Amino acid sequence: MAAQPDPTMPAVRRARAVLYERWQPRGKSPLFTRAPGRLNLIGEHTDYNRGYVMPVAVDRAVYVAAVPREDRLVRVWSDQLDAEAQFSLDHLKDRHHDWARYLQGVAWALDELKMPLVGMEAAIYSDVPRGAGLSSSAALEVSWALAMLQLCGRSLPPKQLALTCQRAENDYVGMRCGILDQFASVFGQRNTALLIDCDTQEIQPVPLGGKGFSMVVCDTNKPRQLVDSEYNQRRASCEEAARILGLPSLRPATPEMVMAAREALGEERFRRAWHVVTENARVLDMAEALQRGDLETVGQLVSASHKSLRDYYEVSCPELEAMWAATQRAGCYGSRLVGAGFGGAVLALVSPEEVGPFSRRVAEEYQQETRYQPNIFAVQIADGAEVLER
Ligand code: ADP
Ligand code: MG
């Protein structure tokens, strides 16, 4: 069989070039790591409610090229940000206030595990857009963790790797994300979606085997506003709803239970809980529909997720609605806003041969309606994070 061209090659070359341009490491051969971004097909705002999610890893990734240093200094250059940072492994408590805190946070979490970390010079090359629903932060953390571990001759079992990166983001960066992003980046598999149970942390691969849809990311390019406070309010409402229902979380709640308790919950908590319980059911239905190859149902579930996020979880915004309406008019199996909401992207599942005309039409209509220039691109499902052998 003829060897497949390796799509990661140009990215790795770029990472190597950045490393050499920037740090001129002599006589040391660099190591390379890759960790992909992810898309969540369905299961939005369910992760922190101990529910179900269904991400895929995508063919956009954060690459790290690195060489060790003799001392405890870490120097790093980010090609995408055109910025440099440095920190000492001896002073991990002195936090950076910008992007480097993700790297420091990973170092801190690995240090807590007593990993014998060493100083390094590193370059980051990434084609994962930031804040577009592809989870660039988790890709960055996972790629960086793999590089730090590899340089000190250690490794972690995949689950622990993902949880360590999540810990860095939760406890060091201060972002209370669930396990979705890091699990997807670590466990992703080509042509496979991952059904993740965020309660038990079990992962069930759902093979897609050429089921015939392309994933098109339609980024509104609208800067997110108010996300943190709205996110915390949604979390709090869900926790209160579970408490009123007498449950440890919304996970064991069913739509019937939530409907029956509508009055006790009050309208706002009812709406939030309703989204969560119906969304959990949609994720499980999606796994079955994918296995049957029933793309009509897959698409309907995805669009139903959007309507629920808009009407019950109330995390949409005019730009997301303009984009969503354009995707629906342009013709797709289904589409929905992805990520926290209030900006970010719409994901559309599109017939592969329609991707070109679909993207052009959506871009045109969105731009006419809003003052933003959208960023529209198709992604493929890819394998999870790895240390590259070259
Ligand atoms: P996302 O949804 O993309 O994960 P986040 O706000 O969680 O959005 O994370 C984005 C942040 O991660 C950026 O603001 C930056 O601090 C960091 N980051 C992501 N990619 C890179 C990169 N290539 N180089 C440096 N920092 C990055
Ligand atoms: Mg993130």
Side-chain angles (χ1 to χ4, degrees):
M1 203 173 81
Q4 295 273 329
D6 182 347
T8 62
M9 231 3 221
V12 172
R13 283 217 196 95
R14 184 69 202 143
R16 177 200 290 271
V18 178
L19 181 79
Y20 279 88
E21 262 163 44
R22 198 67 208 166
W23 307 119
Q24 293 105 34
R26 293 214 179 89
K28 295 174 187 164
S29 53
L31 70 86
F32 300 96
T33 60
R34 177 189 70 88
R38 63 99 189 100
L39 271 173
N40 190 22
L41 291 181
I42 196 160
E44 205 66 77
H45 288 284
T46 46
D47 59 342
Y48 53 85
N49 286 304
R50 298 187 162 269
Y52 298 104
V53 294
M54 193 184 284
V56 295
V58 299
D59 59 349
R60 299 251 183 159
V62 173
Y63 297 82
V64 175
V67 290
R69 285 174 60 97
E70 306 301 323
D71 59 14
R72 305 267 294 159
L73 189 65
V74 174
R75 296 203 297 172
V76 53
W77 177 262
S78 166
D79 184 64
Q80 198 182 59
L81 297 187
D82 203 18
E84 174 186 332
Q86 65 175 52
F87 58 88
S88 163
L89 294 171
D90 293 324
H91 301 286
L92 290 172
K93 296 257 156 68
D94 307 338
R95 289 172 211 212
H96 272 264
H97 294 292
D98 55 10
W99 59 279
R101 73 206 149 123
Y102 290 89
L103 312 179
Q104 269 186 307
V106 168
W108 167 81
L110 290 171
D111 189 59
E112 296 270 294
L113 294 175
K114 305 277 177 274
M115 293 292 149
L117 301 178
V118 297
M120 63 205 269
E121 253 127 38
I124 295 167
Y125 173 77
S126 169
D127 57 9
V128 188
R130 299 184 306 282
L134 265 60
S135 196
S136 64
S137 59
L140 178 65
E141 290 150 15
V142 172
S143 204
W144 185 252
L146 279 178
M148 290 204 110
L149 285 166
Q150 187 75 7
L151 279 184
C152 71
R154 295 296 178 94
S155 65
L156 285 175
K159 201 168 258 184
Q160 209 185 349
L161 173 67
L163 291 171
T164 303
C165 291
Q166 185 206 11
R167 179 155 192 234
E169 187 150 347
N170 284 177
D171 297 348
Y172 196 93
V173 176
M175 179 66 207
R176 286 175 76 193
C177 60
I179 56 172
L180 164 67
D181 303 345
Q182 290 84 3
F183 267 34
S185 187
V186 169
F187 288 100
Q189 284 175 42
R190 211 169 293 191
N191 291 326
T192 306
L194 305 172
L195 172 57
I196 303 177
D197 181 334
C198 298
D199 193 28
T200 61
Q201 300 186 345
E202 263 171 284
I203 302 169
Q204 193 185 314
V206 182
L208 303 179
K211 291 281 160 55
F213 61 76
S214 290
M215 298 178 305
V216 181
V217 178
C218 309
D219 186 358
T220 60
N221 268 334
K222 151 138 198 293
R224 289 177 196 269
Q225 278 156 358
L226 297 170
V227 188
D228 290 353
S229 61
E230 294 286 344
Y231 178 81
N232 289 334
Q233 279 172 26
R234 296 297 180 287
R235 268 188 98 122
S237 292
C238 290
E239 282 162 20
E240 287 161 21
R243 196 167 37 73
I244 293 168
L245 291 166
L247 300 169
S249 72
L250 285 177
R251 171 53 184 276
T254 60
E256 294 74 29
M257 287 159 77
V258 172
M259 190 53 89
R262 186 167 189 165
E263 219 155 287
L265 288 169
E267 191 54 24
E268 184 177 314
R269 281 184 291 259
F270 163 75
R271 285 166 176 275
R272 307 303 181 243
W274 183 256
H275 166 72
V276 173
V277 294
T278 58
E279 184 79 351
N280 278 332
R282 280 187 288 272
V283 179
L284 298 179
D285 290 347
M286 177 91 159
E288 284 179 12
L290 282 170
Q291 260 146 1
R292 290 197 307 273
D294 176 357
L295 291 185
E296 292 301 314
T297 304
V298 164
Q300 281 162 8
L301 288 165
V302 168
S303 295
S305 169
H306 179 84
K307 291 177 196 153
S308 177
L309 287 162
R310 179 189 65 198
D311 300 338
Y312 290 98
Y313 222 61
E314 297 180 270
V315 292
S316 194
C317 65
E319 292 77 10
L320 279 169
E321 285 313 305
M323 187 70 91
W324 186 73
T327 61
Q328 295 276 319
R329 282 192 301 266
C332 57
Y333 290 109
S335 58
R336 68 179 196 86
L337 73 89
V338 287
F342 305 104
V346 167
L347 164 66
L349 305 186
V350 181
S351 170
E353 57 275 16
E354 298 294 324
V355 169
F358 173 88
S359 305
R360 281 190 291 277
R361 181 169 167 192
V362 171
E364 206 170 287
E365 291 188 10
Y366 174 76
Q367 208 172 346
Q368 259 165 22
E369 213 165 305
T370 66
R371 57 199 171 88
Y372 295 104
Q373 170 108 35
N375 183 21
I376 298 185
F377 53 93
V379 293
Q380 307 290 330
I381 303 180
D383 284 328
E386 61 190 329
V387 177
L388 297 165
E389 303 293 336
R390 50 173 79 84

